[in-house]
Amino acid sequence: MLLQSLREQVLEANLELVRRGLVLYTFGNVSGVSHKDRLVAIKPSGVPYETMAPEDIVITDLDGRVVEGDLRPSSDLPTHVELYKHFPSIGGIAHTHSEFATAWAQACKPIPCFGTTHADYFHGPVPVTPQLTPQEIATDYEKNTGLAICRKFEGMSADDVPAALVAGHAPFCWGPTPAAAAHHAVILEAVARMAYYTINLSEHAATLPGALQDKHFLRKHGKGAYYGQGQTK
Amino acid sequence: MLLQSLREQVLEANLELVRRGLVLYTFGNVSGVSHKDRLVAIKPSGVPYETMAPEDIVITDLDGRVVEGDLRPSSDLPTHVELYKHFPSIGGIAHTHSEFATAWAQACKPIPCFGTTHADYFHGPVPVTPQLTPQEIATDYEKNTGLAICRKFEGMSADDVPAALVAGHAPFCWGPTPAAAAHHAVILEAVARMAYYTINLSEHAATLPGALQDKHFLRKHGKGAYYGQGQTK
Amino acid sequence: MLLQSLREQVLEANLELVRRGLVLYTFGNVSGVSHKDRLVAIKPSGVPYETMAPEDIVITDLDGRVVEGDLRPSSDLPTHVELYKHFPSIGGIAHTHSEFATAWAQACKPIPCFGTTHADYFHGPVPVTPQLTPQEIATDYEKNTGLAICRKFEGMSADDVPAALVAGHAPFCWGPTPAAAAHHAVILEAVARMAYYTINLSEHAATLPGALQDKHFLRKHGKGAYYGQGQTK
Amino acid sequence: MLLQSLREQVLEANLELVRRGLVLYTFGNVSGVSHKDRLVAIKPSGVPYETMAPEDIVITDLDGRVVEGDLRPSSDLPTHVELYKHFPSIGGIAHTHSEFATAWAQACKPIPCFGTTHADYFHGPVPVTPQLTPQEIATDYEKNTGLAICRKFEGMSADDVPAALVAGHAPFCWGPTPAAAAHHAVILEAVARMAYYTINLSEHAATLPGALQDKHFLRKHGKGAYYGQGQTK
């Protein structure tokens, strides 16, 4: 069986979404990539989490063709593939319809950085893509979804803001590993929820001062980080 | 005992509402129909879910008369019966007072399609009935509730939008089986919750472009569907 | 030990508040009354629910003097006593700081009847008392809280609306038994939550038409009731 | 091992935050102080709660230097230390990013006293600090956070209001023991949630009359208290 370890990481990250209450029924999907092998491991489409095993994880190439596995991959696979091709530092991707992050996506609004919880993980607002055109929807819809995210990140670092909202749809999150991608999906939902409460408390709430955004992001990330026990997350 | 298998399906679908947190105490009811036998299997009225067994499910005919069972059927039975008589493709109905769907019903507002989660299951807004007249309330109230739903669906397909909100009351959901009806009740509540958050984020939020509504509904339903493993849901 | 059965009912009703998530730490209290014995059984003040036993329930007379028990009764006892003296049909009282009912009390607004869930249990809006005067707060505060509820119900039936909100404080609920009082506290919280969502969806949402309020209350209560299996709740 | 009992209290108080749903992953931290020994016991930074043991708790002096322990202390340690140096009656501090309290902090608004639940624990509004200056962020950020709280409490009693919101960040709570600090963090979140609901129900909701704020705070605290069984909380 190809990529046994990556399959296990992908399965575990998918189950983390279940444990954290981010997915309903078969919603959501996490994948991982082996850039060396140019292969992706992704959750199968519409299969219950309760019985999912490493051998159910589908292995595809970077054109989205199944290389190993009896099941169909998640229908969002072409979105994942575009992100892997565009962002070489990404090792895992998590897609959920978690409720508050999805509400921001449905409102077509980026999530402003209102506090240090956000700044600890996302260096700046979490952006939202523009709506796709009817042509982009009609042909290669899922691939075009990925391209829309990539275009949105022109001039931005995917490592500094490891998530995007797709307009009218839901978030995609990523990280160096499948576990990190799922972790960011959980944090994003908490951040989206607190941002929702914040603007309901104060319609024109100010975003966090830039110096404080930098401080919190950099005390957890990069070479001067001093949060945690010294290992990278 | 009549319709053993349908009784079990109806019981299981009722318990799914409990597991998903959609019902409080004895609230809610799911039924199933055998169109061939012209018989309905429905939850008894006001009986605790914890001890409910297949033999407690009440069997009635399509005039709402008990054919088998010692308990009274749910007081909403006449609503279920009207839907079964009017929509021959429906095999199960789930009624809950789930909190966000009920809030939309209480506000007498249809749930707009704000995102792909909605479009995956409901092809267009989830409609709300007009208020019943005092005469409709005074006589055959529960039957008139069903008729109000049927009238609302004139010119619409009950298969494309498997749910309706009854004004000032709560949702009724349906599907080809009791399990599908309960599944739709769970999804409707999630969709109602996210739509609530969406309009609180953006009072005049735009609905999802029609092309994207079609794309998502049709990638899961109908002959070109490619979501899941090829079985119908 | 006096009133063994009533102690057990009161304990069980207190624990129901815990199971339903209505109380935090030692918040909340349920009591029961024996009108025949002119005795009240009430939760002790500030004792953890986890270890509470029937012998911890405090027995007092209708002047609030402890008749049996080593612990202090709930500090809200004088409120309970006033309600028992004023409403002879009440057999149990439940007081919580459940979050949505308390929010309505803090906003000093009655809970309008927006839907059939409300109408199934409360025949009309759940009223809120006026704020107490500084004099009423300074002396016999808890007793005056009870008197404010009684005054608010002049011309109303405590059986038809088994709950009141105390302005700036929280709800008191009641019923023929301690279990019914706790049941009403759980329902009130659900109704308060859905009413909150409703006015956030539609600031000037209309209340349920009177004919429908009557229909739902009367299909569950009184001599023409046809909900449930014929036993009274 | 130094301060075995204090380590155990600090561990237990940290776990209370987990049990009450106030922290996500490794978020949050509780510490305790021995004013006699001039030593602080605090949660290590970024360590999972599931496996945390008393020996993982880090002991530092009141300058924030590690005296015993192999792990790094929480990065918020300098904030805790300032509070201990400034408020001699404080024996424990709990810091969380609990969602509603954090939303008020992000909105840079104090939590008004809208009800008796608030008044039972906090004698007046829960204040919010001003934003730190860029200089205060650049150097000794965590220490300056503590100093901002201390300045905010000039003329106020830390015993009467055992919590503060740090603007754009989150709450810090305290009490005579680590357990009391965690208890106040749990109550603060409930109070913050109900205050959020209250202003959403009534934008200009009035705060609780002063006489009633005094009544509730003083029936639980101080020498005339009559809530509970006579022990201090």
Side-chain angles (χ1 to χ4, degrees), chain B residues 43-56:
Chain B
K43 172 177 169 278
S45 182
V47 165
Y49 286 101
E50 291 72 17
T51 57
M52 206 177 287
E55 55 267 29
D56 295 329

Side-chain angles (χ1 to χ4, degrees), chain D residues 57-223:
Chain D
I57 302 299
V58 185
I59 305 295
T60 78
D61 64 21
L62 284 173
D63 294 319
R65 283 182 297 244
V66 174
V67 171
E68 190 176 70
D70 296 328
L71 299 169
R72 284 191 202 165
S74 166
S75 51
D76 295 309
L77 170 66
T79 309
H80 292 236
V81 164
E82 286 311 307
L83 297 178
Y84 287 132
K85 289 199 287 195
H86 199 269
F87 300 119
S89 66
I90 292 181
I93 296 170
H95 169 55
T96 79
H97 289 205
S98 72
E99 295 187 347
F100 281 89
T102 298
W104 283 93
Q106 292 189 160
C108 300
K109 290 189 170 182
I111 304 176
C113 180
F114 285 132
T116 61
T117 322
H118 182 124
D120 281 339
Y121 288 90
F122 306 101
H123 201 183
V126 176
V128 61
T129 63
Q131 287 284 7
L132 297 186
T133 64
Q135 293 87 330
E136 290 172 317
I137 293 167
T139 307
D140 290 334
Y141 163 63
E142 290 84 2
K143 175 179 176 163
N144 288 327
T145 297
L147 291 174
I149 296 172
C150 296
R151 281 196 304 271
K152 191 71 199 176
F153 272 75
E154 278 168 24
M156 287 175 59
S157 158
D159 297 334
D160 286 357
V161 181
L165 306 177
V166 175
H169 187 161
F172 282 81
C173 302
W174 50 80
T177 61
H183 185 74
H184 289 155
V186 176
I187 300 293
L188 179 67
E189 179 64 4
V191 163
R193 191 157 46 224
M194 293 196 292
Y196 173 89
Y197 299 148
T198 301
I199 64 160
N200 271 311
L201 282 171
S202 176
E203 194 183 350
H204 303 292
T207 54
L208 201 66
L212 196 46
Q213 292 195 38
D214 295 347
K215 176 68 188 175
H216 268 262
F217 190 76
L218 298 173
R219 83 175 193 173
K220 285 198 74 161
H221 306 272
K223 60 180 191 290

Side-chain angles (χ1 to χ4, degrees), chain B residues 22-164:
Chain B
L22 263 71
V23 295
L24 194 57
Y25 293 114
T26 65
F27 287 21
N29 45 71
V30 182
S31 71
V33 71
S34 167
H35 283 291
K36 174 173 70 69
D37 298 308
R38 300 187 57 77
L39 292 175
V40 171
I42 192 165
K43 172 177 169 278
S45 182
V47 165
Y49 286 101
E50 291 72 17
T51 57
M52 206 177 287
E55 55 267 29
D56 295 329
I57 302 299
V58 184
I59 306 295
T60 77
D61 63 21
L62 285 174
D63 294 318
R65 282 181 299 242
V66 173
V67 171
E68 192 177 69
D70 296 329
L71 298 169
R72 283 191 203 166
S74 165
S75 52
D76 294 309
L77 170 67
T79 310
H80 293 235
V81 164
E82 286 311 307
L83 297 178
Y84 286 132
K85 290 199 287 194
H86 198 269
F87 300 119
S89 66
I90 292 181
I93 296 170
H95 170 54
T96 80
H97 289 205
S98 70
E99 294 185 349
F100 282 89
T102 298
W104 284 93
Q106 291 189 162
C108 300
K109 290 190 169 180
I111 304 176
C113 180
F114 284 132
T116 61
T117 323
H118 182 124
D120 280 340
Y121 288 90
F122 305 101
H123 200 182
V126 176
V128 61
T129 63
Q131 287 283 6
L132 297 185
T133 63
Q135 295 87 330
E136 289 172 319
I137 293 166
T139 308
D140 290 333
Y141 163 64
E142 290 85 2
K143 175 179 177 165
N144 288 326
T145 297
L147 291 174
I149 295 173
C150 296
R151 279 196 305 272
K152 192 71 199 178
F153 271 75
E154 279 168 21
M156 287 175 59
S157 158
D159 297 335
D160 287 357
V161 181

Side-chain angles (χ1 to χ4, degrees), chain A residues 3-221:
Chain A
L3 299 171
Q4 175 74 22
S5 165
L6 186 61
R7 284 168 182 271
E8 288 170 3
Q9 291 175 54
V10 167
L11 174 60
E12 174 57 22
N14 273 290
L15 296 179
E16 174 70 357
L17 300 185
V18 178
R19 281 192 298 264
R20 298 288 172 169
L22 264 72
V23 295
L24 194 57
Y25 294 114
T26 64
F27 288 23
N29 45 72
V30 182
S31 71
V33 72
S34 166
H35 283 291
K36 175 172 68 69
D37 299 307
R38 299 186 58 75
L39 292 176
V40 171
I42 192 166
K43 172 176 168 281
S45 182
V47 165
Y49 286 102
E50 290 72 17
T51 56
M52 205 177 287
E55 55 267 28
D56 296 329
I57 302 300
V58 184
I59 306 295
T60 77
D61 63 21
L62 284 174
D63 293 319
R65 281 182 299 243
V66 174
V67 171
E68 191 177 68
D70 296 329
L71 299 169
R72 284 191 201 164
S74 165
S75 51
D76 294 309
L77 170 66
T79 309
H80 292 235
V81 165
E82 287 311 308
L83 297 178
Y84 286 132
K85 291 198 286 195
H86 199 270
F87 300 119
S89 65
I90 292 181
I93 296 170
H95 169 54
T96 79
H97 288 205
S98 71
E99 295 186 346
F100 281 89
T102 298
W104 284 94
Q106 292 189 161
C108 300
K109 290 189 170 182
I111 304 176
C113 180
F114 285 132
T116 61
T117 322
H118 182 124
D120 280 339
Y121 288 91
F122 306 101
H123 201 183
V126 176
V128 61
T129 63
Q131 287 284 6
L132 297 186
T133 63
Q135 293 87 329
E136 289 172 317
I137 293 167
T139 308
D140 290 332
Y141 162 64
E142 290 85 1
K143 175 180 176 164
N144 288 326
T145 296
L147 291 173
I149 295 172
C150 296
R151 281 196 305 271
K152 192 72 200 176
F153 272 76
E154 279 168 23
M156 286 175 59
S157 158
D159 296 335
D160 287 357
V161 181
L165 306 177
V166 175
H169 188 161
F172 282 81
C173 302
W174 50 81
T177 61
H183 185 75
H184 289 154
V186 176
I187 300 294
L188 179 67
E189 180 63 5
V191 163
R193 191 157 47 225
M194 294 197 291
Y196 173 89
Y197 299 148
T198 301
I199 64 161
N200 272 312
L201 283 171
S202 177
E203 193 182 349
H204 304 291
T207 55
L208 201 66
L212 197 46
Q213 294 195 38
D214 295 347
K215 176 69 186 175
H216 267 262
F217 190 76
L218 298 173
R219 83 176 194 173
K220 285 198 73 160
H221 305 273

